[in-house]
Amino acid sequence: MFVARSIAADHKDLIHDVSYDFHGRRMATCSSDQSVKVWDKSESGEWHCTASWKTHSGSVWRVTWAHPEFGQVLASCSFDRTAAVWEEIVGESNDKQRGQSHWIKRTTLVDSRTSVTDVKFAPKHMGLMLTTCSADGVVRIYEAPDVMNLSQWSLQHEISSKLSCSCISWNPSSSRAHPPMIAVGSDDSCVTYGGKVQIYEYNENTRKYAKAETLMTVTDPVHDLAFAPNLGRSFHVLAVATKDVRIFKLMPMRKETATSSGPTKFEVQIMAQFDHHNSQVWRVSWNITSTLLASSGDDGCVRLWKANYMDNWKCTGILKGDGSPVIGSSGQPVALSAAGGSSALASQNALNGVMAGRYFFPPLDPPWAGSRYAHLLPPPSLIEQTCESESSRSQQTLLRRRFSGPALHSLPEKEGV
Amino acid sequence: GPGDLLAYETQYKPTGICHCPFVHVVRKDEDIYSPILRKLFNESHHIFVGLQNMKDDVPSKNKKHQYVTHVSKNYRSVIRACMEELQRVAASDIIPRWFECMFIRQVSILLAVELIWNLCEVLFIEAAPAGSLLLHLLDWVRLHKADVDEKAQEVLQSECPAEHQAYWDVPGGTQTLTEFDVKWRRWHQECDRCLQDNSFASHPHLELICKILVGDEDTLLEQREHLSTWYHFLVTRLLYCHPTVKPTELHYYAQASMDMFLDGRSAPEPLDSILLAAFEFDIHQVIKDCSIALNNWWFVAHLTDLLDHCKLLQSHNLHFGSNLREFLLLEYASGLFTHHSLWQLAVDYFDHCPEFGRVYLELQIERVPLDTERKALKVLRICEQRQMAEQVRSICKIMAKKALRNNRLGSALSWSIRAKDAAFATLISERFLQDYCTHGTFSDLDLIDNLGSAMLLSDRLTFLGKYREFHKLYAEKQFAEAARLLLSLMTAKIAPRSFWMTLLTDALPLLEQKQVIFSADQTYELMHCLEELTTGKVAPETELSMQEDNIEATKIELLRLALARNLALAIVKEGTLEA
């Protein structure tokens, strides 16, 4: 069963990214209103906005948290061609009482000549490293050599991927068997270059990143990428959000002993491909143990994917909105339905149960005809469950629509405002 | 599945009216937050751990069988207890109306769970053979039907006691299955003959009973309301028609009974197919269907684990049996991990998943929010017990960093020591020393005083420890010792150069004591240190640094004077013969 809580985000424009911190107790949102907001979860489970500030002079595309080992640190990237690093400073006591905290800018990275479309911290075992990718196809990797001084970052690597980049993902594996690896996705609509996902790997000898693989089968614009957490397996799993949801398996092939130079060769297999969204898929995200993948698409749904113990991937749940059309819900009182959605939840709950009444009479009471709460709804469980279910429709909560635009850089931008 | 939280955004084009975008936080598996179910989780955890540890203790196969049956009954009694508690609360006035529904729902689920588990226990675990099988099934049905039926049964029974005497003398006691079967058939024929003869024609009630006794299906079906469920019908049929039914024959009767009973009036429901699968001894199907039907992994995880301990999963051709067990346990435990206190139960489950348990635990445990020191220590203990060195280091580092941010230097230092993080320890030591220079006192003396061998983690930390030791010696008036230590801090280069001025200033009170503390040699060394410091000084550039320089200069002058005086006194003292 799904239960949702809605938070009025209070951004004055579209939200582009939402990110949990490492422990799931804090959240950051960023928006076209050029600001970033930080939310904290109280013990009672309520989210409060503890900071809100203007971060860039253009739409903020992504926001991401550093590992808590480095403190309370955020990074953001924007249409204004910059990326920035922010640190929370412990405020005055009266601030604490008001539940507010302060974030100050530690550095601005201005190397990019075009909109910076994604920003991600590298896995912590690599130190404090930040990666950005831009609309002109350049991927930059920065490092803060002194983790106590967040204002000093040096550009360590610049990778030209030749295609307009939309997203990056680091392989989280800290195993010594795997050199650092980063996947770069492109939303370039140019069809000349086949593969829209490139994998780069760090080479100990040349001390540089080199392209290890291009996923040639991905020919449509890619909106998001995510490496799955590695469970000590020898292979890697990468989820791609493009015109459908794809899950790839990358198996490193054994290197010939003589040459240890050159990047690893991979055997690429597609583990699963789902077009259930029937529209562009914008985000993919793994859970902690890589057992569940969530995807969201232009059909306004979030779908959950799971593999059973036989390694077959199936849809295990759909979170759906109130059914309003995706674009131009203009006429419709969308705000109302969204707000209405959350209040309607409680009552929806009561309506959901179905059937099997006769088995479940508490011996105390006379049997209830068609007793309602039988929970024998196909819920999110697995061993081979398909998800066409109309019954999933009755699962609550929702919302998620992402307005469909083509490549990010052609968004109507309030430049200079 | 795991109760992972998803947060995602709503976006839509604002069209004129300013809409506020929403963020929705979604959670799965609210069940783990039910306070009454918590008891179920806690107690079943206890049973689970006991079962895992039993493996080697029990010698004979028979004993093992007994033990496993016992465990199964334990699980069931825990379910019943939970169910009763829920019912009690639902019936009372404590909770609000609309909450009541949730409780009733939970009770329904638990009823179903217990029903299925009980049947599985009878068929798979007890594995009752023909003869006692029916007895067990009778018990099973009796346990799960409404009171109404029991009364009806009693009425039926009381009517013809004599005829039933021999009937109830079932096998297992004094006769073999075959003997019983023969007797039963004779009796059955007798009843049948009575019916044919119309012996009971004048007593329709008795005739009805007789018809039931011979297992006339139509008659039985007519009693549908009393029977309430198809499986009750099944067992009744078996009782009157095939009391010596073998386990392998069950599924024929089961399917037929269900078809007859439901008679196209209602479609079979999930629970029906689960029970049917059980009668067909298709364990895999039972587990599969249960996983789909129930929104909580608790049941399938524990049941599968129990069946695996009976080695049943393999014997039923489930070669991936132990994989299945592990898969389900991992799912269940992952779900527990999102709960602020139940996560501790999950640890034991992961411990008993040989293939992926450890890595799952590593990934999950580092995400536990470290709200308080106490919680952090709890998490750490678990990691340390399992030699999860990286997680230990990471957690300590996070705590150290948090403490430092909040200026709790002592806490930060102790966490860095635990993390064996030399760099961080150095940093914090620096802060301590800076604090001392500014305020003249140390904070967190307890910690620094009791560093012990941890002091060796970093040079700066060693210095901090030793420096504090100097202060202690001074306070205890062990001046000679203090003096020696102070000097060694500089000569052995333990003290950073930047701190030497402070150390020399600390030497002043020792130099100005009535008795001579520093020997002549020591004084020469001190002077040497002072010279090292003062050579190579650059001319002041700014107004402020000029001022600072003046202060410095005064200090140096004072020191030179004191050192000179001490030297003189020392030389005299050392040169004087004892009278």
Side-chain angles (χ1 to χ4, degrees):
Chain A
M1 293 303 172
F2 291 106
V3 174
R5 229 180 210 140
S6 299
I7 307 163
D10 222 12
H11 276 289
K12 296 181 183 43
D13 204 332
L14 301 168
I15 298 175
H16 293 291
D17 198 14
V18 123
S19 176
Y20 270 122
D21 81 328
F22 189 72
H23 295 294
R25 288 293 177 84
R26 311 191 82 180
M27 183 173 68
T29 57
C30 64
S31 159
S32 265
D33 69 1
Q34 303 176 4
S35 74
V36 164
K37 287 183 197 283
V38 172
W39 307 78
D40 280 25
K41 190 174 181 187
S42 69
E43 274 175 28
S44 56
E46 316 234 308
W47 291 91
H48 301 284
C49 180
T50 54
S52 171
W53 72 103
K54 179 164 148 68
T55 47
H56 291 273
S57 51
S59 284
V60 189
W61 297 133
R62 303 267 191 158
V63 68
T64 185
W65 293 84
H67 193 277
E69 271 186 39
F70 302 114
Q72 296 298 304
V73 177
L74 275 176
S76 60
C77 67
S78 162
F79 183 81
D80 72 358
R81 306 190 297 275
T82 67
V85 176
W86 310 87
E87 187 173 16
E88 186 184 39
I89 47 173
V90 177
E92 303 298 308
S93 50
N94 47 338
D95 277 338
K96 275 217 188 90
Q97 277 174 352
R98 283 189 297 123
Q100 290 300 302
S101 67
H102 288 285
W103 291 76
I104 57 173
K105 184 189 284 205
R106 289 301 189 196
T107 194
T108 312
L109 304 170
V110 297
D111 304 275
S112 177
R113 286 196 217 99
T114 54
S115 168
V116 183
T117 50
D118 200 359
V119 63
K120 289 278 184 329
F121 282 98
K124 71 167 153 78
H125 67 267
M126 291 171 62
L128 186 52
M129 294 183 73
L130 187 66
T131 320
T132 60
C133 71
S134 305
D136 61 3
V138 181
V139 175
R140 292 180 176 86
I141 304 178
Y142 299 85
E143 182 173 15
D146 178 4
V147 303
M148 294 306 299
N149 181 2
L150 294 179
S151 39
Q152 293 299 330
W153 293 80
S154 69
L155 176 60
Q156 301 282 69
H157 303 276
E158 237 177 30
I159 304 170
S160 291
S161 75
K162 298 193 176 48
L163 286 174
S164 156
C165 301
S166 59
C167 49
I168 43 184
S169 174
W170 280 98
N171 186 343
S173 166
S174 56
S175 155
R176 266 185 223 119
H178 308 135
M181 190 189 308
I182 185 169
V184 182
S186 165
D187 57 352
D188 205 304
S189 39
C190 173
V191 291
T192 323
Y193 291 105
K196 296 287 193 303
V197 175
Q198 297 171 49
I199 316 273
Y200 292 88
E201 205 188 41
Y202 184 70
N203 187 313
E204 287 291 339
N205 300 327
T206 62
R207 308 263 205 92
K208 283 196 170 43
Y209 280 85
K211 183 166 357 183
E213 190 67 47
T214 305
L215 301 183
M216 298 304 294
T217 52
V218 184
T219 51
D220 299 282
V222 169
H223 307 295
D224 198 16
L225 282 177
F227 268 107
N230 188 300
L231 295 179
R233 299 179 292 229
S234 58
F235 58 88
H236 312 290
V237 177
L238 178 68
V240 179
T242 168
K243 70 165 197 263
D244 50 28
V245 177
R246 285 183 220 185
I247 306 176
F248 288 94
K249 183 176 184 179
L250 301 161
M251 287 159 291
M253 302 205 282
R254 230 177 312 137
K255 289 187 178 163
E256 288 97 43
T257 43
T259 43
S260 54
S261 61
T264 320
K265 292 259 179 286
F266 290 97
E267 188 195 327
V268 180
Q269 268 180 22
I270 184 145
M271 284 172 94
Q273 188 164 353
F274 302 112
D275 56 5
H276 295 53
H277 284 286
N278 211 19
S279 53
Q280 293 295 318
V281 181
W282 285 88
R283 287 295 169 91
V284 280
S285 179
W286 292 96
N287 72 344
I288 299 170
T289 46
S290 77
T291 46
L292 196 69
L293 177 71
S295 66
S296 61
D298 262 339
D299 60 343
C301 289
V302 172
R303 280 159 213 273
L304 302 174
W305 311 94
K306 203 169 176 53
N308 67 2
Y309 59 90
M310 302 289 269
D311 260 340
N312 293 324
W313 286 86
K314 292 272 162 76
C315 175
T316 194
I318 314 176
L319 304 174
K320 209 163 176 184
D322 49 358
S324 332
V326 174
I327 299 183
S329 2
S330 14
Q332 304 243 344
V334 181
L336 252 144
S337 45
S342 47
S343 61
L345 279 179
S347 50
Q348 261 191 324
N349 225 331
L351 295 172
N352 268 346
V354 143
M355 39 178 190
R358 62 180 184 279
Y359 298 115
F360 307 115
F361 317 145
L364 307 169
D365 297 335
W368 296 342
S371 164
R372 14 201 206 283
Y373 311 107
H375 66 296
L376 287 185
L377 276 182
S381 240
L382 74 81
I383 307 202
E384 280 169 75
Q385 185 198 1
T386 48
C387 84
E388 40 286 284
S389 15
E390 271 321 288
S391 34
S392 323
R393 197 173 280 276
S394 56
Q395 282 177 3
Q396 323 87 336
T397 21
L398 44 119
L399 306 189
R400 210 291 173 187
R401 27 176 118 269
R402 184 156 174 143
F403 84 100
S404 82
L408 284 172
H409 50 252
S410 62
L411 275 177
E413 240 316 281
K414 301 173 191 129
E415 266 206 286
V417 166
Chain B
D4 293 307
L5 304 171
L6 301 172
Y8 49 102
E9 6 166 347
T10 300
Q11 302 178 12
Y12 35 79
K13 270 196 144 78
T15 51
I17 327 163
C18 184
H19 294 303
C20 179
F22 280 85
V23 173
H24 304 274
V25 182
V26 180
R27 175 183 290 178
K28 286 166 68 176
D29 287 352
E30 280 286 293
D31 279 347
I32 53 175
Y33 295 92
S34 157
I36 295 178
L37 282 187
R38 186 177 313 185
K39 228 176 163 194
L40 179 71
F41 299 134
N42 268 309
E43 303 207 4
S44 56
H45 162 259
H46 187 66
I47 301 172
F48 172 84
V49 172
L51 178 61
Q52 308 309 308
N53 294 330
M54 95 91 175
K55 283 178 106 160
D56 315 315
D57 298 26
V58 184
S60 75
K61 195 175 172 192
N62 211 10
K63 273 221 145 27
K64 183 166 183 177
H65 180 253
Q66 269 178 19
Y67 180 78
V68 173
T69 313
H70 179 67
V71 169
S72 181
K73 291 197 192 317
N74 273 348
Y75 274 126
R76 284 198 298 120
S77 71
V78 166
I79 298 172
R80 283 212 95 90
C82 195
M83 197 157 63
E84 275 156 28
E85 179 70 16
L86 280 170
Q87 277 174 355
R88 199 184 56 76
V89 176
S92 71
D93 290 322
I94 314 176
I95 47 167
R97 231 3 305 209
W98 75 274
F99 242 164
E100 215 176 284
C101 306
M102 262 167 44
F103 277 69
I104 306 292
R105 179 176 147 268
Q106 275 302 333
V107 170
S108 299
I109 297 172
L110 289 176
L111 266 171
V113 161
E114 214 255 312
L115 180 74
I116 301 166
W117 193 305
N118 199 348
L119 184 61
C120 288
E121 183 183 303
V122 167
L123 297 175
F124 306 137
I125 299 174
E126 298 237 45
S132 52
L133 174 60
L134 182 60
L135 282 178
H136 281 102
L137 285 176
L138 270 171
D139 283 335
W140 172 66
V141 161
R142 279 207 190 98
L143 203 56
H144 295 100
K145 61 182 168 47
D147 293 349
V148 169
D149 282 310
E150 241 166 12
K151 295 205 177 65
Q153 185 80 328
E154 272 170 42
V155 166
L156 286 172
Q157 280 177 26
S158 65
E159 291 284 342
C160 321
E163 310 230 355
H164 299 304
Q165 219 51 315
Y167 185 88
W168 294 117
D169 190 5
V170 288
T174 51
Q175 51 188 337
T176 67
L177 200 63
T178 340
E179 279 171 3
F180 173 81
D181 200 40
V182 165
K183 277 195 198 162
W184 181 80
R185 281 186 194 288
R186 224 183 295 143
W187 172 84
H188 196 269
Q189 279 166 5
E190 178 79 26
C191 288
D192 215 11
R193 207 178 37 73
C194 290
L195 268 177
Q196 306 297 345
D197 287 351
N198 279 326
S199 327
F200 296 115
S202 46
H203 304 277
H205 195 48
L206 274 176
E207 183 166 304
L208 175 67
I209 290 171
C210 197
K211 278 196 178 155
I212 291 173
L213 287 178
V214 298
D216 183 51
E217 282 159 12
D218 295 323
T219 319
L220 288 175
L221 281 171
E222 277 163 31
Q223 304 299 317
R224 218 187 234 105
E225 325 92 64
H226 292 304
L227 291 172
S228 71
T229 62
W230 65 268
Y231 45 91
H232 187 187
F233 173 58
L234 163 68
V235 176
T236 312
R237 258 186 89 213
L238 291 174
L239 176 64
Y240 295 125
C241 305
H242 318 278
T244 53
V245 64
K246 296 200 202 57
T248 45
E249 295 166 346
L250 264 182
H251 73 273
Y252 295 123
Y253 297 115
Q255 182 71 64
S257 300
M258 189 173 88
D259 293 337
M260 275 191 265
F261 193 85
L262 293 180
D263 195 22
R265 286 173 202 197
S266 39
E269 293 173 12
L271 181 61
D272 295 325
S273 31
I274 293 170
L275 293 174
L276 203 57
F279 284 122
E280 288 168 5
F281 285 82
D282 190 347
I283 294 187
H284 187 209
Q285 192 67 36
V286 171
I287 296 170
K288 192 160 135 177
D289 288 345
C290 285
S291 305
I292 296 173
L294 301 166
N295 70 342
N296 182 296
W297 296 102
W298 180 87
F299 174 50
V300 285
H302 287 88
L303 182 64
T304 310
D305 173 62
L306 186 61
L307 293 175
D308 190 46
H309 272 89
C310 302
K311 300 272 182 282
L312 279 172
L313 296 181
Q314 284 99 300
S315 60
H316 281 72
N317 286 326
L318 289 183
H319 301 293
F320 43 77
S322 49
N323 285 351
L324 177 60
R325 168 194 169 272
E326 179 156 326
F327 179 83
L328 295 171
L329 286 175
L330 288 172
E331 287 295 328
Y332 172 65
S334 297
L336 285 180
F337 239 102
T338 57
H339 190 273
H340 60 87
S341 66
L342 287 177
W343 64 269
Q344 293 165 81
L345 301 180
V347 175
D348 286 312
Y349 287 96
F350 284 133
D351 281 345
H352 291 103
C353 291
E355 208 179 334
F356 285 113
R358 189 188 169 87
V359 67
Y360 266 64
L361 182 57
E362 284 173 357
L363 288 170
Q364 296 271 19
I365 205 150
E366 60 179 9
R367 301 275 183 164
V368 174
L370 307 166
D371 310 315
T372 59
E373 281 229 354
R374 204 164 141 258
K375 196 168 185 189
L377 288 170
K378 227 186 241 186
V379 175
L380 271 179
R381 209 177 312 129
I382 292 171
C383 294
E384 278 163 357
Q385 280 168 353
R386 289 158 182 77
Q387 283 98 41
M388 292 179 173
E390 172 51 33
Q391 279 69 28
V392 170
R393 190 207 59 80
S394 184
I395 290 164
C396 290
K397 184 64 193 285
I398 294 171
M399 294 304 286
K401 188 85 192 186
K402 197 153 87 166
L404 187 64
R405 256 163 43 90
N406 290 301
N407 222 29
R408 289 179 288 116
L409 293 181
S411 182
L413 184 60
S414 87
W415 284 114
S416 336
I417 291 172
R418 198 159 176 173
K420 299 204 186 20
D421 191 334
F424 214 58
T426 301
L427 196 115
I428 297 167
S429 307
E430 285 276 353
R431 290 273 227 112
F432 268 115
L433 294 167
Q434 273 168 30
D435 267 5
Y436 172 77
C437 289
T438 341
H439 304 295
T441 51
F442 281 112
S443 56
D444 300 285
L445 286 176
D446 268 344
L447 176 63
I448 307 173
D449 285 346
N450 294 305
L451 281 175
S453 56
M455 208 189 287
L456 300 170
L457 180 62
S458 100
D459 286 343
R460 196 63 90 251
L461 184 59
T462 315
F463 169 62
L464 178 65
K466 290 282 173 204
Y467 186 50
R468 171 59 199 147
E469 215 178 291
F470 160 73
H471 280 271
K472 274 205 311 207
L473 288 169
Y474 186 93
E476 288 162 13
K477 299 206 191 315
Q478 296 188 43
F479 296 130
E481 272 302 311
R484 209 169 312 161
L485 179 56
L486 186 65
L487 186 57
S488 70
L489 287 178
M490 283 184 283
T491 53
K493 305 273 191 268
I494 300 177
R497 185 65 76 89
S498 52
F499 217 75
W500 281 18
M501 205 54 210
T502 315
L503 290 177
L504 289 167
T505 319
D506 281 337
L508 266 175
L510 289 172
L511 292 166
E512 284 168 2
Q513 292 279 335
K514 277 229 185 73
Q515 76 264 48
V516 173
I517 300 168
F518 285 103
S519 70
D521 283 337
Q522 284 174 330
T523 316
Y524 279 126
E525 299 232 36
L526 283 173
M527 287 168 137
H528 187 68
C529 293
L530 184 57
E531 287 319 303
E532 258 196 70
L533 261 189
T534 51
T535 48
K537 276 210 172 278
V538 193
E541 284 175 3
T542 66
E543 171 76 39
L544 185 61
S545 45
M546 264 186 79
Q547 271 184 6
E548 281 175 3
D549 246 36
N550 281 337
I551 299 172
E552 273 291 285
T554 321
K555 261 203 236 170
I556 294 172
E557 280 311 306
L558 272 172
L559 272 169
R560 288 218 173 97
L561 184 60
L563 282 167
R565 222 179 321 146
N566 193 70
L567 185 58
L569 289 169
I571 292 174
V572 168
K573 177 181 172 210
E574 281 159 34
T576 310
L577 289 166
E578 294 300 306

